[in-house]
Amino acid sequence: MIFALIIAPIVAGVLLVLVPRSAEAFAKWFGVALATIVFIIVALEPHASDESLRWLSRPFVANFHVGLGGIGYWIVLLLALSTACALAVTRVPRQRDFVAQMLVLLGAMTGLFVARDLLLFALFWDLMLIPVFLTLIAWSPTRSTATAWRYLVYNLVGGLALLLATAAYGVVQGTTDVLAANPSMLAPISPAWAFWIFLGFAFAFLIKTPVWPLHTWMPLTYADLPAPMVAVVSAVQSKAGLYGFIVVTSVLLPGPMHGAAPAMFVLGLIALVYGALAALVQDDAKRVVAYSSLSHLGLIVLAIFSFNPIALGGAVVYIVAHGLFSAGLFIVLGEVERREDTRLLSRLGGLGARNPKLAGGLTILALATLGLPGLCGFAGEILILTGVYRAGFVWPAVVALIPIIIAAAYMLRVLQGLMNGPEVADVPQRRDMTPLEMLALAPLVIAIVLLGVNPGPVAASSRALTSAATALANVQTQSQSGIAYCKQALLDQRRNAMERAQRYLASLPRDVNGRPIVPTAQPATIGSVQEPSCLRYPDVMAAAVKATAK
Amino acid sequence: MTPHLIVPFGSADWAAVAPPTVVGVAALVVILADLMLPRRARRISAIAIGIVGLIVAGIIALQGWHHPYVAFGGAFIEGGFAIVFEGIVIVAAIFSLCMSYGFARDDQIGGAIALMLWSATGAMLMAGAASLMMIFLGLELLSLALYCLCGLAARASAREAALKYLILSSTASGFLLYGMALLFGATGSVALAALANPPISAALFDIGCGMFLVGLCFKLSLAPFHVWTPDVFEGAPLPVTAFMSVVTKAGALAAVARFAYAALPQRDHAAILIPLWIVAAISMIVGNVGALAQTDIKRLLAYSGIAQLGYIVAAMAGTSALGLRYAIFYLGAYMFMNLGAFAVVTLLSRENDEGSRLASFAGLGYRQPVLAGLMTFFLLALAGLPPTAGFIGKILILATDVNTGYAWLAVLLIVGTAISVYAYFKIVRAMYARTIGTPVLPRFVPASALPWVGVALCAIATLGLGLYPFAPSDILPLVR
């Protein structure tokens, strides 16, 4: 079943060549139907069991092992949803071929997020670049292929590093079928190997995410891709790197992952601030959204490398949330561009008067992007910031707040530049969104609200990082609401604090009565990373001291 | 060692060389048929007889699987290793014949096909050769036929290619022969197995090994002995280029593999072979960098072949048994993806124009979407991208290099691959880009549907080997 989810779109995309070129509407609705079917199947089968076929026995074991579970489940749902919505509003030249590329992309990315084998993961990682490259070449608005080359060179260099790291991991571990395995069952890897393998993975993931200074392919690519494809690429493909950090490196290579955390924090913060500032000054509306993606994804990098369960839950929520609103934004901007033949903020204005529905759609999406409470952006941001702060990274959390404020500025600038203000005379004002186009945007908006109100199930998927961590855990955690989830996470932290406090007390010198001498907290150390975090729970400390005295 | 020569050779010895013999005899039949049949039946009959002969040879060769036999006093070993390489030569020759329908004039076709079959015979002899004499015999049979074939086209560049190939290849044969003579002087035997004995003079032995390897590296067109390849590939007729790109390399690779794996004395085995791995590393980089600037597909595939052979030799680094299997696997994968690309070019060629210029690919994605899609697939395979045999083949080579402690080769392989992507995707861009000012070439029907068969089979094999990587086991021992 899961194999079919991967193979069917790819085969359908390849076979679309056999359909006559004039059957544009057929191709489009066929694509929409296929993506919808994928969505429905995935939605109905949250506990589908893993499927596996032997691929290689030597030099290391590799399997065609796929599973629908954990974080990948939500991303596949997001992928199918955004593909269906984007295809429904597709209106490009040579539509049949374009739909074919979209379907191949759908299959390849589904494969990436259901792969439970590292080699299979690497296969789909490289495969998903090809339809985007072909689209950049054949549908480039400028008839130049510079963007396509930049996209391919950056991402493929990353992909090859991933390949080398995968091969090395396979040789060292003896198998690459590890993404669903219990981490405690894996053989430990020597630090030297772990370092180099991590370097290969991290390089690939950082390019894909992207983070500064590896991001230069991204704004160009987003600006040149046709709207339906950029909606899917920004919604899902850009999450592949973050997904990789969460399910691959943090599980398989925890040592170097923790070692890299300071550097990653710096990179994440730079992306966060730089992206927000750059978004503030772009004239091209698509590039505003592209740079805002850079900023938002930097926030997720921060969350992943704070190693805090709340932040990780938030990261997953934000991955899905960003996918929803960026897909919606790119679809709406595509609609604007098709009506007005431009997307430059300086040339547009006052569209809202004639196109109230379009303006309404853009407003909801912009509000979700800038983190209005009740919509999905807020849910992710608050979880991430809480988690990062809880993990003891106070200053990063404070710095991360600034771009969130800037986000309001640039999103309102887009809204104002396109929809409000006086009408611009020299651009054509065509008719408002058709019911069909509204229908295509509606699922995304509904999902944005649903996720904003109840992020619990999505956040909980980060707990069961792998599908092997039994369906039972999923059932229990998914039934909790978001607030209950956060409460639970706080309680977990408290329980950890008790253990840490006992360990901390054991390390202290004792007085004559055998009681540990607890130093009074120095103002300089409060809130810093050096301070033992258990000191932040005075009641826990008191209980622990009492327990030691007995 | 001499008593071997007194023993009369029995029928089993002749049976061991039956596959190359059948191919050689098929060539004679082609020439006879050419004399007797009417003019318009000549092309198809020559190709048909050739293909039938090759298939029969393949079937005979497969009978020997699991029954290795050392024939002619150790000169020729029929067994797993030889059969695999004979199989590769046979399949490559069949695909080349599929592309040969529009090749040469009517009065040349019989001779041309016969030469191609004799060349394949030489490569098959090399596949089983276990003595220096036999290696040289096979190599010269292989090369002499190719010199003639290279000059067949009417273009001036074809004559240039033939002459260049003749001179440079003869020089390399000189190196090889001189190396063999020194090895014979050092060990007193022409049998590969005897090289493992302590040599009379270590200096003679080392110089002999070096010259022997230089000669073979030239035939493999590994950098820095590769300079002849692009010119010869460009000048030679298309089916001959396709044939050369696989068959000569398979034959020479069989000799190199036997030499590297089985012939050398254990103690300084690693030291003697280090230059070979360095040459492989240089080839990966030089071949891919060279491919970047090419605008002729044949030249591009020539440079690509230099790099791909670098990958294959890199798989043998550390001479692990798995490495040899992966080298063979990658050779097979390379054969399918490379010949697939050549078959696509054949389908684009017409009178006076071989369709190998980059310009003839412009807009192909809109004129012939199926053909363009298949070409993209073969180029993806050559670049080592999924879901193809090239991808899994590279993974296997990377893994075996890391495993045997040659991680630096793995890193260079990745660097080379990264460079190669630009070269291959340049063709993809030409096929799909919508640039202003490209002349719209009309769609036209190729002379024969045979290349389509080749394209389809190569595509299926490239995909199939990627999903089910099958590397033959049971190929050792290589020498007695």
Side-chain angles (χ1 to χ4, degrees):
Chain A
M1 197 66 203
I2 307 178
F3 282 127
L5 294 180
I6 305 168
I7 294 167
I10 295 180
V11 172
V14 171
L15 291 186
L16 264 187
V17 178
L18 304 177
V19 175
R21 212 166 285 187
S22 54
E24 299 204 328
F26 167 77
K28 172 173 155 179
W29 293 114
F30 175 72
V32 174
L34 198 60
T36 314
I37 291 170
V38 170
F39 179 82
I40 292 171
I41 290 176
V42 175
L44 292 180
E45 296 251 347
H47 309 303
S49 50
D50 287 13
E51 294 162 23
S52 183
L53 286 174
R54 179 52 57 96
W55 189 6
L56 290 178
S57 305
R58 278 192 285 183
F60 48 77
V61 174
N63 296 321
F64 291 108
H65 184 176
V66 293
L68 256 184
I71 305 166
Y73 175 76
W74 296 103
I75 303 185
V76 172
L77 273 184
L78 166 70
L79 167 66
L81 183 69
S82 57
T83 306
C85 294
L87 276 174
V89 296
T90 298
R91 214 175 296 166
V92 295
R94 286 165 283 126
Q95 190 144 290
R96 177 200 68 172
D97 298 352
F98 182 79
V99 173
Q101 304 291 355
M102 289 285 283
L103 287 179
V104 174
L105 187 64
L106 171 67
M109 292 204 296
T110 308
L112 184 79
F113 292 107
V114 301
R116 293 291 176 264
D117 182 293
L118 213 45
L119 189 57
L120 197 60
F121 181 82
L123 185 152
F124 286 117
W125 184 280
D126 285 346
L127 189 60
M128 73 181 176
L129 307 180
I130 294 157
V132 179
F133 172 77
L134 290 177
T135 307
L136 277 174
I137 278 187
W139 283 270
S140 161
T142 54
R143 290 181 184 260
S144 132
T145 49
T147 309
W149 284 123
R150 194 179 281 213
Y151 172 81
L152 188 74
V153 168
Y154 268 88
N155 283 288
L156 205 64
V157 167
L160 291 172
L162 180 76
L163 211 59
L164 185 55
T166 304
Y169 185 85
V171 168
V172 174
Q173 182 65 256
T175 174
T176 53
D177 191 359
V178 287
L179 296 184
N182 185 345
S184 60
M185 300 296 284
L186 298 173
I189 297 178
S190 72
W193 273 115
F195 171 76
W196 287 108
I197 294 172
F198 176 79
L199 210 62
F201 281 127
F203 184 61
F205 296 160
L206 289 178
I207 287 181
K208 190 89 237 172
T209 300
V211 299
W212 180 90
L214 304 169
H215 69 282
T216 56
W217 60 272
M218 190 259 250
L220 291 172
T221 303
Y222 283 14
D224 276 8
L225 273 179
M229 187 169 274
V230 74
V232 177
V233 168
S234 79
V236 184
Q237 203 181 85
S238 64
K239 307 306 184 324
L242 300 166
Y243 175 79
F245 275 128
I246 296 175
V247 305
V248 178
T249 45
S250 64
V251 177
L252 302 180
L253 304 160
M257 185 85 176
H258 280 81
M264 296 296 177
F265 248 80
V266 173
L267 289 179
L269 281 174
I270 291 176
L272 197 62
V273 177
Y274 171 81
L277 291 177
L280 211 48
V281 295
Q282 301 298 319
D283 192 27
D284 180 344
K286 250 171 145 183
R287 291 178 72 120
V288 175
V289 183
Y291 277 107
S292 86
S293 286
L294 185 62
S295 167
H296 291 142
L297 299 185
L299 186 64
I300 302 180
V301 171
L302 219 60
I304 292 171
F305 282 91
S306 68
F307 303 107
N308 178 287
I310 305 175
L312 194 61
V316 179
V317 171
Y318 208 53
I319 283 176
V320 179
H322 176 264
L324 291 171
F325 60 68
S326 72
L329 279 174
F330 279 117
I331 288 176
V332 168
L333 292 179
E335 295 295 308
V336 169
E337 189 184 3
R338 198 170 73 220
R339 284 178 172 71
E340 316 299 337
D341 301 326
T342 178
R343 44 172 205 261
L344 298 182
L345 296 178
S346 56
R347 289 208 53 214
L348 289 168
L351 296 179
R354 302 268 182 100
N355 302 288
K357 292 170 190 156
L358 197 62
L362 185 63
T363 309
I364 296 175
L365 294 166
L367 291 178
T369 310
L370 59 80
L372 188 79
L375 300 180
C376 59
F378 174 77
E381 278 169 6
I382 194 73
L383 283 173
I384 289 177
L385 290 175
T386 313
V388 171
Y389 179 82
R390 282 277 167 207
F393 302 105
V394 177
W395 284 111
V398 172
V399 175
L401 273 173
I402 301 168
I404 293 175
I405 298 163
I406 306 178
Y410 60 70
M411 281 328 292
L412 292 177
R413 183 169 159 264
V414 170
L415 199 57
Q416 207 148 25
L418 294 180
M419 298 301 172
N420 301 343
E423 286 189 28
V424 179
D426 65 337
V427 289
Q429 300 271 335
R430 299 193 186 125
R431 64 193 173 81
D432 201 4
M433 283 175 109
T434 59
L436 190 71
E437 286 162 353
M438 287 170 64
L439 198 66
L441 208 54
L444 291 174
V445 172
I446 293 171
I448 283 172
V449 176
L450 281 181
L451 184 61
V453 181
N454 183 15
V458 179
S461 69
S462 70
R463 287 190 156 184
L465 264 180
T466 56
S467 62
T470 61
L472 189 66
N474 267 329
V475 176
Q476 287 170 353
T477 48
Q478 282 184 6
S479 59
Q480 295 172 351
S481 74
I483 294 164
Y485 168 74
C486 294
K487 208 186 265 174
Q488 186 59 42
L490 287 175
L491 284 176
D492 286 354
Q493 285 230 318
R494 255 191 128 65
R495 213 171 25 250
N496 290 344
M498 186 70 194
E499 286 166 26
R500 279 201 302 271
Q502 279 161 356
R503 247 180 291 138
Y504 174 57
L505 289 178
S507 71
L508 290 176
R510 310 271 169 147
D511 63 10
V512 282
N513 301 329
R515 280 163 173 266
I517 307 167
V518 183
T520 46
Q522 298 298 315
T525 61
I526 289 181
S528 76
V529 188
Q530 289 85 26
E531 176 209 40
S533 57
C534 53
L535 288 183
R536 274 176 241 153
Y537 299 89
D539 51 340
V540 174
M541 272 309 282
V545 170
K546 206 185 260 176
T548 346
K550 279 178 193 167
Chain B
M1 281 300 175
T2 37
H4 285 298
L5 297 175
I6 310 167
V7 178
F9 302 128
S11 57
D13 294 277
W14 298 108
V17 290
T21 313
V22 168
V23 177
V25 171
L28 289 174
V29 177
V30 167
I31 291 186
L32 283 177
D34 197 56
L35 282 175
M36 291 187 239
L37 289 175
R39 202 181 181 100
R40 62 196 155 70
R42 278 184 196 163
R43 274 179 197 276
I44 199 69
S45 69
I47 292 172
I49 294 168
I51 290 178
V52 169
L54 286 164
I55 290 174
V56 170
I59 293 170
I60 295 174
L62 279 180
Q63 307 301 316
W65 193 257
H66 294 312
H67 306 291
Y69 182 75
V70 181
F72 301 110
F76 190 92
I77 301 179
E78 182 73 349
F81 180 83
I83 293 170
V84 169
F85 273 90
E86 282 172 355
I88 288 176
V89 169
I90 287 171
V91 174
I94 290 176
F95 280 124
S96 307
L97 287 180
C98 283
M99 297 175 216
S100 304
Y101 189 82
F103 151 58
R105 293 199 312 267
D106 273 355
D107 55 337
Q108 291 174 330
I109 185 79
I113 301 274
L115 282 172
M116 213 186 251
L117 291 174
W118 280 323
S119 186
T121 310
M124 290 166 76
L125 286 177
M126 286 184 85
S131 88
L132 299 176
M133 302 276 279
M134 202 67 186
I135 290 176
F136 191 71
L137 187 69
L139 189 65
E140 284 309 291
L141 183 53
L142 169 72
S143 308
L144 280 171
L146 282 176
Y147 302 147
C148 310
L149 283 171
C150 283
L152 258 186
R155 302 188 303 270
S157 64
R159 288 193 289 279
E160 182 200 326
L163 196 62
K164 208 176 250 178
Y165 189 36
L166 172 68
I167 294 170
L168 287 173
S169 186
S170 307
T171 315
S173 296
F175 267 94
L176 190 74
L177 204 54
Y178 201 72
M180 288 175 172
L182 293 179
L183 284 175
F184 178 73
T187 60
S189 167
V190 291
L192 275 182
L195 296 184
N197 301 334
I200 299 161
S201 151
L204 267 190
F205 184 80
D206 290 347
I207 298 172
C209 281
M211 296 187 85
F212 180 77
L213 281 179
V214 165
L216 284 177
C217 285
F218 180 91
K219 302 286 178 186
L220 282 175
S221 69
L222 290 174
F225 313 106
H226 68 286
V227 191
W228 60 278
T229 321
D231 293 342
V232 172
F233 272 36
E234 187 189 13
L238 196 57
V240 178
T241 312
F243 181 82
M244 280 169 75
S245 70
V246 176
V247 172
T248 53
K249 313 240 165 130
L253 199 69
V256 169
R258 258 190 223 277
F259 179 76
Y261 271 77
L264 292 175
Q266 279 304 318
R267 63 197 149 70
D268 45 17
H269 182 247
I272 290 174
L273 288 176
I274 278 182
L276 188 61
W277 316 140
I278 293 175
V279 164
I282 298 173
S283 300
M284 294 187 227
I285 303 298
V286 168
N288 285 323
V289 170
L292 288 181
Q294 304 307 320
T295 54
D296 184 287
I297 305 291
K298 278 155 81 183
R299 285 187 80 89
L300 193 146
L301 287 175
Y303 276 109
S304 136
I306 294 165
Q308 306 276 353
L309 259 289
Y311 304 155
I312 295 176
V313 173
M316 302 195 291
T319 57
S320 67
L322 272 181
L324 181 59
R325 291 177 58 189
Y326 298 149
I328 293 174
F329 174 78
Y330 198 87
L331 179 68
Y334 164 70
M335 168 176 75
F336 287 117
M337 53 212 193
N338 190 50
L339 291 180
F342 271 114
V344 171
V345 179
T346 311
L347 282 170
L348 292 177
S349 59
R350 59 200 83 191
E351 292 289 321
N352 308 323
D353 177 13
E354 276 194 321
S356 65
R357 286 168 302 112
L358 194 58
S360 61
F361 282 83
L364 191 69
Y366 306 104
R367 283 180 285 140
Q368 283 174 278
V370 175
L371 201 58
L374 286 166
M375 185 69 181
T376 309
F377 183 70
F378 293 127
L379 292 170
L380 287 181
L382 285 167
L385 291 178
T388 63
F391 172 80
I392 199 74
K394 264 188 195 147
I395 281 279
L396 294 175
I397 295 176
L398 289 175
T400 183
D401 277 349
V402 171
N403 216 357
T404 51
Y406 286 84
W408 58 275
L409 268 176
V411 172
L412 283 175
L413 197 159
I414 285 293
V415 172
T417 306
I419 299 169
S420 76
V421 167
Y422 183 85
Y424 296 123
F425 276 69
K426 207 165 60 175
I427 308 175
V428 177
R429 176 186 61 175
M431 290 194 291
Y432 290 100
R434 297 190 71 79
T435 43
I436 309 165
T438 29
V440 179
L441 299 171
R443 194 193 167 116
F444 78 107
V445 183
S448 135
L450 266 181
W452 271 113
V453 178
V455 170
L457 289 178
C458 285
I460 292 169
T462 308
L463 181 67
L465 283 179
L467 299 179
Y468 184 72
F470 153 80
S473 56
D474 196 24
I475 48 173
L476 300 169
L478 302 179
V479 297
R480 192 156 47 136

